[in-house]
Amino acid sequence: MERGMMKRQYRDVVVWDAERTAAERCDVITEGDRITSILPAGTLDSGCAYEGRGKMALIPGFVNAHGHAAMTLLRGLGEELPLMEWLQERIWPVENGLDGDLVKAGTKLAILEMLSTGTTCFADMYFFMDRVAEAALECGMRCGLSRGIVGDSDGSKLKENLKLADDFNGRDGLINVQLGPHAPYTVPMELMKEIANTAKDTGLGVQLHWLETSSEWSISGLEGKMTPEDYLAETGMIDVPNLLLAHCVWIRPQESAFYARDNVTFAHNPKSNLKLGSGIAPLPAYLKAGVRVALGTDGAASNNRLDIWDELRFAALTQKGVNKDPTLVASAEALRMATVNGAIGLGFRDVGLIKEGYRADMILIDLDQPHYVGWDCENLSGFLVYAGSSSDVKGTVVAGKMLYQDGDFVFADRKRITEEAAEARRKLTAR
Ligand code: NI
């Protein structure tokens, strides 16, 4: 242990993660940003540790595997319009007025919301990403960042994305940078090939919107020429070091096996897909084929919450209902999607489990409440997903630091951040 490295102890907490079949009462020690010991409950002396009393769950923090954080400033704009009208008339004109300061203000607002609902790591694809990185570092939040690349005839956006990687990849152990080609209908195929090659040369991952709407493939101009899977093979995207495909609503279920690869993760966004009328992803087919699926909220303008707890419940319940099969998408599977699967998708191979050597990204959930009566170590995942909610989060720990505790943001000024965001919103929508 390095001198001065912060050590924290959690006594008699109820530990669950996706590698356990049942929860277990344990003591947990973190040193610096890592989990260093997991001991039988009650081993540690009382008084010098956070006391769980066997009534506080400690699970991995949620990973929000797809989003556009600063869209918190656009929440509520153009509600319930058709997708293209919403984008073209309400969202894009406002986004044209964004600058670095506004994006940073909106991102900090998003980070407050995510921390208070149990998210410890978020994916972001947007603009002014150096300011997003600053916001994350100032708050101590983990993230996977990509510069959204649209068009890019002069190559300046790809350059900007690479500069983001030079400046921020690996910073404070918190940031992984990905390349961010927006979608096959906004990025020419030659550029998509170039980005795939760049990813292979640099070892960077890629975030890509993929088959979000039923019309996406015809809009891309590729319909009738090649299948989406041929496109991923032809551009080389399927072979990049780490490919995070957002949405995946319209993949043909019979093609699921193509995506069951160690370097590929889907970011499933059930609430955004419902709200924008994009459809319902054939999630059971993906899971059956062995595809790694994570959960995301998408931007606050199309959700409208950045609360993974909602995604857990929508992912698990929607499939049961539409397929008339209550055995689909079990609660433990949904929690796996929301934790370790998202971490892997963003290139963090030591995040998302409560395990010695893993990063100490975790949340504390108060089980001493009326709606948890009857929980036990075997049924905990079901209680969390079907009865729990983000209001049960009592602590959010990122890289060993408790950033949110009992309603307060320990290292962030809630009042200032919300006031700055409100002012940013006024500026942005007044233009
Ligand atoms: Ni998106």
Side-chain angles (χ1 to χ4, degrees), residues 7 12 36 83 110 146 174 202 213 221 234 261 304 335 342 345 418:
K7 182 172 173 177
D12 197 6
T36 50
L83 179 64
S146 66
L174 291 173
T202 56
T213 65
E234 176 92 358
R261 305 162 60 108
N304 292 355
L335 284 166
T418 48

Side-chain angles (χ1 to χ4, degrees), residues 1 93 98 190 212:
M1 180 176 153
L98 283 169
E190 280 311 304
E212 177 176 1

Side-chain angles (χ1 to χ4, degrees), residues 65-282:
H66 180 68
H68 315 283
M71 287 186 91
T72 47
L73 301 181
L74 282 66
R75 194 185 324 247
L77 292 185
E79 294 289 26
E80 293 152 2
L81 288 175
L83 179 64
M84 286 326 275
E85 198 178 326
W86 177 71
L87 282 172
Q88 289 169 354
E89 290 173 24
R90 300 307 310 275
I91 297 299
W92 290 341
V94 178
E95 282 185 338
N96 281 336
L98 283 169
D99 62 27
D101 290 342
L102 296 173
V103 164
K104 186 172 179 180
T107 302
K108 283 205 166 181
L109 186 67
I111 290 173
L112 291 192
E113 185 180 352
M114 289 192 276
L115 284 174
S116 69
T117 54
T119 288
T120 53
C121 177
F122 69 101
D124 202 5
M125 178 201 281
Y126 217 49
F127 343 103
F128 304 103
M129 295 305 293
D130 52 331
R131 307 305 298 280
V132 174
E134 282 174 26
L137 291 170
E138 287 171 20
C139 295
M141 186 79 165
R142 191 179 306 285
C143 54
L145 307 181
S146 66
R147 202 288 183 208
I149 299 170
V150 174
D152 205 29
S153 50
D154 63 356
S156 61
K157 292 169 189 161
L158 177 55
K159 270 198 197 114
E160 217 182 280
N161 202 153
L162 288 169
K163 184 167 188 315
L164 181 76
D166 284 344
D167 293 345
F168 291 103
N169 201 23
R171 274 283 285 277
D172 295 4
L174 291 173
I175 297 180
N176 279 348
V177 173
Q178 287 86 34
L179 300 176
H182 172 264
Y185 60 95
T186 49
V187 176
M189 191 153 170
E190 280 311 304
L191 177 59
M192 197 63 87
K193 281 183 190 169
E194 188 189 338
I195 295 171
N197 282 328
T198 307
K200 290 175 200 172
D201 291 345
T202 56
L204 295 171
V206 173
Q207 297 183 19
L208 172 67
H209 288 100
W210 191 242
L211 304 182
E212 177 176 1
T213 65
S214 57
S215 59
E216 180 169 321
W217 203 242
S218 71
I219 295 170
S220 74
L222 295 161
E223 198 169 39
K225 294 181 187 151
M226 64 176 75
T227 68
E229 291 71 33
D230 287 343
Y231 173 90
L232 289 176
E234 176 92 358
T235 54
M237 268 299 159
I238 198 66
D239 298 314
V240 301
N242 207 12
L243 179 62
L244 182 58
L245 295 172
H247 296 296
C248 304
V249 180
W250 290 96
I251 291 171
R252 289 165 298 167
Q254 64 270 29
E255 301 295 342
S256 300
F258 173 82
Y259 297 90
R261 305 162 60 108
D262 191 53
N263 64 321
V264 174
T265 304
F266 288 180
H268 175 48
N269 303 263
K271 246 183 103 188
S272 172
N273 296 154
L274 285 172
K275 184 159 185 286
L276 294 177
S278 302
I280 294 169

Side-chain angles (χ1 to χ4, degrees), residues 5-58:
M5 194 180 270
M6 190 174 52
K7 182 172 173 177
R8 287 188 180 274
Q9 307 186 112
Y10 302 83
R11 190 171 185 271
D12 197 6
V13 286
V14 182
V15 171
W16 183 92
D17 69 20
E19 283 195 349
R20 293 164 196 266
T21 49
E24 195 181 354
R25 287 170 70 166
C26 301
D27 290 355
V28 175
I29 302 176
T30 70
E31 292 170 36
D33 71 345
R34 303 265 173 187
I35 296 165
T36 50
S37 301
I38 299 174
L39 306 163
T43 310
L44 295 170
D45 292 336
S46 56
C48 59
Y50 183 97
E51 275 293 347
R53 294 185 179 82
K55 295 173 180 173
M56 191 68 78
L58 185 147

